[in-house]
Amino acid sequence: ILHATRARLEQIRHAIGNRIRAALPDETGAIAVSLITGERGGITDATNDAYRDSGLVHILSISGLHMVIMAGSVYAVMRSLLAAFPAIALRFATKKWAAAAALAGATGYLLISGASIATLRATLMIAIMFVAVLLDRQALAMRNVALAALAILAVMPESLLDAGFQMSFAAVVSLIAAYEAIRDRSETNERRGWLLAAAFFFGGILLSTVIASLSVAPFGAYHFHRSQQYALIANLIAVPICNLIIMPMALLTLVVMPLGLEALPLALMGYGIDAMTATAYRVAALPGAIAYIPAMPAASFALMVLGGLWLTLWQTRWRMLGLVAVGA
């Protein structure tokens, strides 16, 4: 049964890839296939190099960024739809219904994308957070990150030494620490106009990009001995495009594909992909885009990690002492 299920999933992935390539020809379609089914064979070496040298290669591999956007979009759409029916919204906990739908959507995306280790890790982290919503607990909390890490290490303890595991959790821990700090200082009952709400939304995307880029930089330098000098600039341009255009259109493509209506969302997705690829090529071509870093002493790397943990895990002003360790 398991073998037949895997074979059927591969047939579905292959069919989805063919439909995408029929609507989006050339390399744009190949990147769209990569973002939806995880197959990267159609992307040229030149484009892979441009994405790598610009610091955008993480976008080509389905991981936490894509899974969060997919599951988060399902959650937001379901909550909005359920809120449109007062008879339902006023009688039932629609937030839990939306969380269950998002969990199902994340699982479906995991299966369609090929279930790589990085995607499986991201799905597990997201699943724990949505289960927290179902249990009326805080979703974005360090406790949930710790539970996700514990679950992954219990099954795959060798992941602790994997660069992808380290960079993924470094980014997530840093983002949640920043979120908690901002949440604690903001007034939850404050009402904002639509203009200010939009500014907070886009500002959140930019701030998240900066924090994630800075948090993974020491791990990239230690493991790969390369530094993409303009990665922050590239991500500030490309990540909002991915968040607001590419991945939402990818989700819409999967929803309407059974009806044969995938042409329009794929066309919009293609415009976003072309803009992202142009950004990768332009940034990678800048003088000094790549710096080669000598092997970092283990003690230096350990100080950076310990300083980062101190900075993110403490809740008081003591946390700033973590910068001393990082600087040292």
Side-chain angles (χ1 to χ4, degrees):
I1 295 177
L2 182 60
H3 179 74
T5 302
R6 288 179 177 176
R8 180 56 181 162
L9 284 173
E10 286 301 316
Q11 291 176 357
I12 293 174
R13 293 179 65 212
H14 185 69
I16 291 174
N18 288 338
R19 296 276 289 273
I20 294 171
R21 282 185 283 265
L24 281 180
D26 304 324
E27 197 169 35
T28 300
I31 295 176
V33 171
S34 172
L35 295 176
I36 293 177
T37 70
E39 298 178 7
R40 294 181 56 179
I43 304 175
T44 64
D45 291 339
T47 298
N48 276 316
D49 290 343
Y51 272 83
R52 184 186 65 247
D53 293 345
S54 63
L56 296 178
V57 71
H58 64 95
I59 295 181
L60 293 181
S61 300
I62 298 176
S63 58
L65 172 67
H66 312 79
M67 191 62 68
V68 165
I69 299 173
M70 281 288 196
S73 298
V74 173
Y75 179 79
V77 169
M78 286 300 298
R79 286 212 70 181
S80 299
L81 288 176
L82 292 171
F85 299 93
I88 297 176
L90 297 176
R91 295 177 58 190
F92 301 99
T94 56
K95 180 168 69 172
K96 295 184 179 182
W97 292 11
L103 190 56
T107 303
Y109 188 38
L110 170 69
L111 297 175
I112 290 174
S113 66
S116 67
I117 296 298
T119 313
L120 183 61
R121 183 168 58 231
T123 305
L124 180 57
M125 294 175 68
I126 290 172
I128 289 177
M129 293 183 180
F130 280 124
V131 169
V133 174
L134 294 174
L135 298 177
D136 295 317
R137 305 298 295 270
Q138 185 70 38
L140 296 178
M142 287 294 184
R143 180 185 298 107
N144 294 337
V145 180
L147 289 173
L150 180 62
I152 293 171
L153 293 175
V155 178
M156 298 175 290
E158 70 278 5
S159 296
L160 184 62
L161 302 179
D162 180 67
F165 176 90
Q166 295 173 6
M167 297 173 79
S168 176
F169 275 91
V172 172
V173 167
S174 300
L175 288 169
I176 289 184
Y179 167 77
E180 290 180 339
I182 294 172
R183 182 186 62 195
D184 293 342
R185 287 167 175 76
S186 64
E187 297 182 5
T188 55
N189 294 326
E190 180 183 358
R191 295 182 63 86
R192 302 189 182 107
W194 68 269
L195 188 60
L196 189 58
F200 269 84
F201 175 74
F202 288 104
I205 293 177
L206 296 178
L207 181 62
S208 299
T209 302
V210 172
I211 292 171
S213 298
L214 292 176
S215 63
V216 303
F219 296 89
Y222 179 76
H223 288 288
F224 307 116
H225 310 296
R226 292 164 61 94
S227 174
Q228 291 80 20
Q229 303 295 80
Y230 306 116
L232 186 57
I233 297 174
N235 279 276
L236 285 175
I237 298 172
V239 169
I241 295 174
C242 184
N243 286 359
L244 300 176
I245 301 175
I246 296 175
M247 294 312 297
M249 289 301 103
L251 174 60
L252 185 58
T253 295
L254 292 174
V255 171
V256 302
M257 187 172 284
L259 304 176
L261 302 175
E262 69 273 11
L264 178 58
L266 280 175
L268 297 175
M269 184 180 179
Y271 290 130
I273 290 173
D274 289 340
M276 186 172 66
T277 301
T279 300
Y281 272 98
R282 182 65 62 88
V283 172
L286 293 174
I290 293 294
Y292 295 94
I293 302 173
M296 184 188 300
S300 298
F301 181 61
L303 277 175
M304 288 188 182
V305 174
L306 291 175
L309 288 172
W310 186 283
L311 183 65
T312 53
L313 297 183
W314 277 99
Q315 298 292 316
T316 64
R317 292 183 179 179
W318 280 96
R319 72 193 318 167
M320 303 309 295
L321 290 176
L323 296 176
V324 176
V326 173

